[in-house]
Amino acid sequence: MTKIPAFAGAAALAALAALALAAPGTLAQAPPPPPADPHEWWKHEVIYEIYPRSFADTNDDGIGDLNGITSKLDYLQELGVGAIWITPCFPSPQVDFGYDVSDYEQIDPMYGTLANFDRLVAEGKKRGIRVILDLVVNHTSDQHKWFQESRSSKGSPKRDWYIWRDGKADGQPPNNWLALFGTPAWKLDPATGQYYYHFFYPEQPDLNWRNPEVEKAILDVSRYWYERGAAGFRLDAVDTLYEDPKLRDNPVVAGTDKFGRPKHDEIYDRRLPEVHDALKKLRKVADEHGAVLVGETWTSDIAELKRYYGNGDEVQLPMNFMFAMVNALSAPAFRKQIALIEEAGVWPVYVIGNHDIVRSWNRYGDGINNDAIAKVLASLYLTLRGTPVMYYGEELGMENNDPKTQDEVKDPIGVLGWPVEKGRDGERTPMQWDARQHAGFSRVKPWLPVPASARKRNVGVETADPASILNLYKRLLALRRSNEALREGEYVPLVPDDPNVLAYLRRTKGSAVLVALNMSASLPTLRDPLAGQGLKATTGRVLLGTTLAANQTIPLDAIPLRPFEVVIADVGPGR
Ligand code: NOJ
Ligand code: CA
C-alpha cells in the first residue's frame, strides 16, 4: 500500500481550489464548463453490474437469462443507469459460472441466443442503456476447442496457445505456483504427460499471451462483439495475463492462506509488466469502435492502479476497489482513500461490491444500522468525482445469503474451503423483484435460494416506500444526472480532521454542492465547513437528504447531523 501523510493531498487540493476561486464575486460570471465529451459517456453515466444467472428468469429453469434482462430495462432506465455490465453469458460448462468460456462468439443456450442479445442491445439503446460484456482474457474453459486441440498432442498447432511444461525429474510440477482457487497451479494431462498451467480452477487453463496468435484471437473476439453492438468490455483478471517466461518459483512467505497453503509472494505469476502492451492493443481496437474498457484491477497500490490507465491508451476505467477493501464505515479511512486516488490525477472508478465479495449491506453494516449505513455508502460513491459501478441489488440493500451447509454450496471454492471459505454464492442470490415466492425472480426454485428478508426487501415494496434504499438510489442517480457540479465538478475535501463526518464540495466554476455524510451513530455538528473556500453563500439549499426535505434552506455556519445522516446541498453563488 502506498504510504503518504494522510491529509497532505486533500489540503493541497483545497489550497488549489481556493486559489482558483480567489474572487468570490467572479463566480457568477465564470464561463460555463465545456460540455462533457460525448465520446466519453462513461465519465457521466453509472454502470450497473448484472450477474445474468441471478437477474430475471423468463424460461422457467431457475436461472436468469438475457430476455430476463431485457424485460427489466424499464426498471433500469427508471433507476437511472446508463450502462449494464453483464458477467460472462457465453457458452460455458459453468464450473466458474461463466468465467470458463468454451465459445467466445456465442450465447450460452441457458441465457438465450445471439438474437436475444441483439434485441437486448437494441432495446437498451432505446432507453439510453449501453451493454458492456465481460471478456475473460487470461484463460478459457478446458472445453474450449482451442484447448481441446492444444491438449491433443505435443505437435498440435495450438499447443503453444496454452502453457505446457514437463514436470520436474522427480515427477513434481514445473514450479511451486499456486492457483488462486485452492489447488496447485499445474495439472498433469495424461494425454501427453505434460502439465498445463491454470491461475484459477483446473478447468480454466491459462492462455499463452506470449503467442501472437492468441493475442490476435482475443482482439478478434473483442472486434466481433463491438460490431454486434457491445459498448465495451469489463476485462477479467487483467493482472494474471502473463507469467515469468523462466517459470521461477515464487518466494514463500510467512503464514498460510484460507486453504491452509503456505503463502507466496506472487512476483512471477502476477502483475507482469507485459500486460500493459496487451492492454494497449485491446484499447486500440476499442477506440476504433468508440468502446470502453473497464478493468478488473484489484490492488491496494495506487501507483499500480494508475499504470492501468497507461498514457490514456490502456483502460479507461480501471476499477478502484479501495472502498471494497474498507470493511467498516470510517470517515478517516474513506477520506484517505479518496485523497489517494484524487492525488493520482486519474478519472476514478468507485466500487463497493461485486459478485466476488460479501454484499456491501453486510460488509459495512454494524448489525443495527445497516440500512442507514447502506444509504451513507450510496451517497458517498454516487456523489464522488468519477464513475460508480453498482452491483445489482445494492440499490435494495440486498443482504448476503451464505449457504448454511457444505452440501448447499455451488461455488467450488466454497466446497473446497468450507467452512473458512464459504464461496461466493451468498453475494450472487436472485434479484429481489417482489414479495412473491422466489422474490419474483423465477416461477420455479431458483439456482440459489433467496433469503427470508426478500419479502420486505424488494423492488415492489421499496418502490412504494419513499424512505427506502431504492428510492434513495433513484434520487441520487437523478441528481447526478441533472447537477453539473456532481457530474463534472472537482472534488474538494472539507473538515479534514473530523472523525465522524466525511464532507466535501463538488464544484465547477459556476456551481458548488456540499456533501456531508455522518458516518457515525453520534450527533456531530459541522461547523463552518466551507470556511476558506471562497464561497459567499451563508445558507445552502438541500438537494437531497435522508432527514431534511429537498429545497429546505440550511445555515452553513453550523449543520447539526443525526446518526448516519446524509445532507447534499447547493451552496453555489447567489444565496
Ligand atoms: C474474476 C471474476 O470476477 C471471478 O468471478 C472469476 O472467478 C475469476 N476472475 C476467474 O475468471
Ligand atoms: Ca432461464
Side-chain angles (χ1 to χ4, degrees):
M1 177 93 156
T2 317
K3 295 261 184 273
I4 62 150
F7 308 117
L13 265 179
L16 269 179
L19 268 180
L21 294 171
T26 59
L27 271 175
Q29 287 87 47
D37 181 346
H39 301 298
E40 295 200 330
W41 59 265
W42 51 86
K43 285 193 174 174
H44 41 91
E45 296 288 1
V46 173
I47 299 174
Y48 183 95
E49 178 191 351
I50 292 179
Y51 201 66
R53 291 181 76 84
S54 298
F55 201 58
D57 175 22
T58 57
N59 68 341
D60 302 332
D61 61 359
I63 295 171
D65 38 66
L66 294 188
N67 283 343
I69 300 174
T70 307
S71 74
K72 300 297 183 186
L73 285 171
D74 287 341
Y75 164 77
L76 294 169
Q77 185 184 22
E78 207 191 310
L79 180 61
V81 303
I84 51 176
W85 146 36
I86 306 174
T87 62
C89 51
F90 316 110
S92 162
Q94 304 286 327
V95 172
D96 194 14
F97 300 109
Y99 283 98
D100 46 327
V101 179
S102 55
D103 184 343
Y104 284 92
E105 298 189 355
Q106 282 293 329
I107 298 294
D108 193 302
M110 87 172 53
Y111 295 133
T113 61
L114 284 169
N116 296 158
F117 173 78
D118 295 342
R119 193 167 76 90
L120 170 61
V121 169
E123 291 298 319
K125 196 168 181 188
K126 286 183 198 160
R127 295 164 179 82
I129 298 175
R130 295 162 177 91
V131 178
I132 295 173
L133 291 173
D134 202 318
L135 192 57
V136 187
V137 278
N138 174 65
H139 49 269
T140 68
S141 160
D142 62 352
Q143 302 306 307
H144 195 292
K145 64 175 192 261
W146 299 340
F147 188 71
Q148 295 292 316
E149 275 181 61
S150 183
R151 85 183 332 174
S152 65
S153 77
K154 283 188 185 172
S156 157
K158 293 242 171 10
R159 187 65 170 179
D160 187 47
W161 280 45
Y162 295 83
I163 299 161
W164 292 98
R165 288 292 185 284
D166 289 329
K168 289 187 175 154
D170 60 358
Q172 291 299 304
N175 65 21
N176 75 346
W177 296 353
L178 298 172
L180 185 72
F181 290 160
T183 66
W186 295 93
K187 183 157 181 194
L188 183 62
D189 198 39
T192 55
Q194 282 196 311
Y195 286 84
Y196 67 85
Y197 172 67
H198 57 92
F199 187 86
F200 296 97
Y201 290 123
E203 294 85 352
Q204 294 168 299
D206 271 48
L207 284 162
N208 176 16
W209 270 82
R210 296 185 190 278
N211 182 333
E213 290 175 19
V214 167
E215 185 184 284
K216 179 176 179 310
I218 296 291
L219 295 178
D220 284 349
V221 167
S222 74
R223 227 173 254 120
Y224 167 85
W225 288 107
Y226 297 144
E227 281 162 16
R228 246 195 138 102
F233 281 104
R234 176 265 194 184
L235 300 176
D236 185 61
V238 285
D239 63 355
T240 61
L241 249 57
Y242 284 85
E243 299 75 30
D244 176 37
K246 292 190 189 148
L247 302 184
R248 282 169 281 192
D249 277 355
N250 279 327
V252 177
V253 296
T256 50
D257 70 10
K258 57 192 170 188
F259 300 102
R261 305 171 302 178
K263 278 196 176 162
H264 283 185
D265 188 3
E266 299 170 300
I267 54 174
Y268 292 125
D269 61 347
R270 218 166 178 180
R271 302 191 173 89
L272 270 72
E274 291 91 325
V275 68
H276 297 288
D277 303 330
L279 292 175
K280 284 188 175 60
K281 290 176 186 161
L282 283 157
R283 173 64 183 274
K284 191 162 172 288
V285 180
D287 280 348
E288 285 161 16
H289 296 85
V292 68
L293 298 178
V294 184
E296 194 211 1
T297 42
W298 274 103
T299 176
S300 53
D301 178 348
I302 286 285
E304 184 189 345
L305 183 68
K306 205 176 158 182
R307 283 198 287 277
Y308 288 115
Y309 292 84
N311 292 315
D313 56 357
E314 294 188 30
V315 180
Q316 293 101 321
L317 300 178
M319 284 194 269
N320 169 17
F321 290 99
M322 302 284 216
F323 285 178
M325 294 182 212
V326 174
N327 288 334
L329 202 62
S330 155
F334 285 120
R335 193 183 289 128
K336 186 173 164 187
Q337 306 290 13
I338 301 163
L340 285 171
I341 191 119
E342 283 287 332
E343 273 178 5
V346 293
W347 180 256
V349 185
Y350 289 109
V351 180
I352 62 168
N354 73 12
H355 62 284
D356 294 327
I357 53 175
V358 170
R359 280 202 174 261
S360 57
W361 189 87
N362 300 73
R363 226 168 345 95
Y364 303 107
D366 61 3
I368 302 165
N369 302 291
N370 290 31
D371 282 2
I373 291 173
K375 290 178 183 172
V376 174
L377 253 299
S379 307
L380 171 65
Y381 84 114
L382 295 173
T383 63
L384 284 171
R385 193 183 74 90
T387 300
V389 182
M390 293 174 60
Y391 183 45
Y392 82 94
E394 212 152 65
E395 73 274 27
L396 304 175
M398 261 174 70
E399 67 171 317
N400 230 69
N401 191 27
D402 276 336
K404 309 294 175 279
T405 64
Q406 193 178 11
D407 292 351
E408 286 175 23
V409 181
K410 298 276 194 305
D411 185 10
I413 53 170
V415 178
L416 193 66
W418 189 269
V420 180
E421 167 64 73
K422 292 196 165 81
R424 298 162 292 180
D425 296 355
E427 53 263 31
R428 299 172 172 180
T429 58
M431 176 68 173
Q432 295 164 191
W433 293 106
D434 55 43
R436 283 178 295 171
Q437 201 188 14
H438 314 312
F441 159 78
S442 176
R443 288 184 293 194
V444 302
K445 192 173 172 226
W447 77 288
L448 286 175
V450 296
S453 56
R455 275 194 290 281
K456 291 206 175 119
R457 199 173 288 277
N458 60 59
V459 173
V461 167
E462 292 195 40
T463 301
D465 173 6
S468 67
I469 298 176
L470 176 59
N471 276 318
L472 182 83
Y473 266 85
K474 281 190 191 163
R475 285 155 65 205
L476 282 164
L477 286 167
L479 186 61
R480 262 182 80 88
R481 281 217 159 146
S482 63
N483 188 290
E484 183 196 76
L486 287 180
R487 224 178 34 243
E488 326 275 349
E490 66 177 328
Y491 165 86
V492 183
L494 304 170
V495 294
D497 300 319
D498 197 304
N500 298 316
V501 182
L502 183 63
Y504 45 91
L505 269 181
R506 295 292 315 283
R507 123 168 128 186
T508 61
K509 279 193 179 135
S511 58
V513 169
L514 167 69
V515 179
L517 308 170
N518 181 7
M519 298 203 161
S520 75
S522 57
L523 296 161
T525 295
L526 257 192
R527 297 204 184 275
D528 238 347
L530 302 179
Q533 298 301 333
L535 290 167
K536 77 176 177 198
T538 54
T539 59
R541 182 175 61 86
V542 174
L543 295 168
L544 186 155
T546 47
T547 308
L548 301 175
N551 293 321
Q552 200 172 321
T553 299
I554 51 167
L556 293 176
D557 54 345
I559 308 172
L561 293 169
R562 293 172 191 235
F564 306 106
E565 183 170 357
V566 171
V567 177
I568 303 174
D570 183 350
V571 294
R575 198 163 289 100

